[in-house]
């Protein structure tokens, strides 16, 4: 009887630690995921979402993780699992950062924001960044963000098997590549605003050269501000459509992204 109780207790303990190891990776990813990991999302909602994703992902990967936990224990797995979860979250979060970069560049090009406004997180983002990020998050959620996250989490166990630490060289190469691509995407999306600002400043310089007495800055400032708002009205749907297509494409091809 005692042996039976001990065996049941051992199985229950292994199951608990297996679920905890799965929860570690998912909760780490949850801290950075778009929509789920936003600062305005209550912590209780994040916790419930992480538990729900754990219940969905666990049956798919349970057998392999239970074997590793029973052999090596759960304590040595904490660091690698947290890093793997953060990589999944960063992969999704960089697309949101691309929208923030696009909005910041567009706002600065059209004189609607300070050059480093909100860059350190101590101040709110420019209005264009807020509009683009909010629209992008809504589109991603409507396009099945939760399914993309579940597929990425399940695929991550093939890319980063439990118990195998991620090489620092591979991690640094991946980080530099993904960050550079995020900034390139942001600058590309803000291309119409940069081009409009170039034409505006070129015309302003020509007018100032022809009429030095005219205060061209006071005349041109309202024009570039109204022009920036008009460009946002015209190009925001196109920018968000391009962004959503890239988001869905690259997050679905996780084997080629990480």
């Amino acid at each position: 009887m005692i042996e039976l109780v001990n065996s049941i207790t051992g199985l229950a303990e292994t199951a608990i630690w297996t679920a905890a190891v799965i929860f570690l990776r998912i909760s780490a990813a949850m801290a950075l995921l778009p929509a789920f990991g936003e600062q305005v999302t209550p912590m209780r909602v994040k916790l419930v979402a992480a538990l729900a994703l754990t219940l969905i992902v666990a049956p798919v990967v349970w057998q392999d993780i239970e074997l590793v936990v029973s052999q090596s224990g759960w304590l040595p797995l904490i660091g690698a699992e947290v890093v793997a979860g953060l990589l999944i979250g960063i992969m999704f979060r960089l697309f949101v950062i691309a929208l923030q970069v696009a909005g910041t560049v567009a706002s600065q090009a059209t004189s609607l924001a300070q050059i480093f406004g909100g860059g350190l997180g101590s101040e709110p983002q420019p209005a264009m960044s807020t509009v683009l990020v909010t629209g992008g998050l809504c589109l991603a959620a409507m396009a099945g963000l939760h399914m993309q996250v579940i597929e990425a989490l399940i695929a991550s166990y093939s890319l980063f098997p439990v118990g195998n630490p991620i090489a620092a060289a591979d991690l640094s190469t991946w980080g530099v590549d993904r960050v550079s691509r995020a900034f390139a995407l942001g600058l590309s999306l803000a291309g119409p605003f940069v081009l409009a600002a170039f034409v505006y400043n070129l015309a302003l310089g020509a007018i100032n050269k022809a009429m030095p007495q005219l205060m061209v800055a006071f005349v041109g400032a309202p024009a570039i501000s109204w022009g920036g708002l008009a460009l946002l009205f015209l190009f925001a749907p196109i920018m968000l459509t391009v962004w959503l297509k890239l988001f869905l494409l690259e997050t679905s091809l996780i084997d080629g992204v990480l």
Side-chain angles (χ1 to χ4, degrees):
M1 184 66 179
I2 296 177
E3 294 180 355
L4 179 60
V5 172
N6 290 335
S7 62
I8 294 175
T9 304
L11 291 175
E13 183 178 0
T14 302
I16 291 173
W17 292 126
T18 301
V21 169
I22 299 174
F23 179 76
L24 278 175
R25 180 176 296 200
I26 294 177
S27 60
M30 185 65 63
L32 296 174
L33 286 174
F36 297 102
E38 303 300 327
Q39 293 184 357
V40 296
T41 304
M43 190 59 65
R44 293 184 180 89
V45 175
K46 295 180 183 179
L47 178 60
V48 171
L51 291 173
L53 290 179
T54 302
L55 293 176
I56 296 172
V57 174
V60 182
V61 300
W62 185 273
Q63 187 173 1
D64 296 334
I65 299 177
E66 186 178 28
L67 180 62
V68 175
V69 171
S70 61
Q71 292 176 350
S72 61
W74 65 273
L75 191 60
L77 306 176
I78 294 178
E81 289 304 293
V82 171
V83 171
L86 291 177
L87 284 178
I88 300 298
I90 291 172
M91 181 191 72
F92 285 89
R93 174 58 57 179
L94 284 173
F95 282 93
V96 179
I97 294 176
L99 284 179
Q100 293 177 347
V101 170
T104 302
V105 172
S107 299
Q108 173 58 26
T110 54
S111 300
L112 292 173
Q114 297 178 356
I115 187 169
F116 293 122
L120 300 179
S122 58
E123 299 178 4
Q125 289 289 330
M128 286 190 181
S129 294
T130 303
V131 170
L132 292 176
V133 170
T134 304
L137 292 177
C138 291
L139 287 176
M142 292 170 61
L145 174 62
H146 60 291
M147 295 303 300
Q148 298 289 115
V149 171
I150 292 171
E151 292 175 1
L153 289 171
I154 293 175
S156 69
Y157 284 96
S158 299
L159 296 171
F160 311 125
V162 177
N164 294 339
I166 303 172
D170 296 337
L171 185 59
S172 61
T173 301
W174 177 87
V176 171
D177 177 67
R178 295 305 303 167
V179 171
S180 61
R181 291 176 65 179
F183 274 88
L185 175 59
L187 292 174
S188 299
L189 293 175
F193 298 88
V194 176
L195 180 60
F198 173 76
V199 174
Y200 162 77
N201 287 288
L202 188 65
L204 210 64
I207 295 173
N208 189 39
K209 189 70 174 178
M211 294 181 293
Q213 296 81 9
L214 180 65
M215 300 295 292
V216 293
F218 291 101
V219 176
I224 189 63
S225 298
W226 281 107
L229 294 176
L231 286 176
L232 180 66
F233 177 77
L234 293 174
F235 285 98
I238 301 174
M239 295 166 64
L240 291 176
T241 301
V242 172
W243 176 85
L244 181 63
K245 289 182 178 179
L246 291 175
F247 176 81
L248 295 177
L249 176 63
E250 297 203 20
T251 53
S252 62
L253 300 176
I254 185 174
D255 292 320
V257 174
L258 294 176

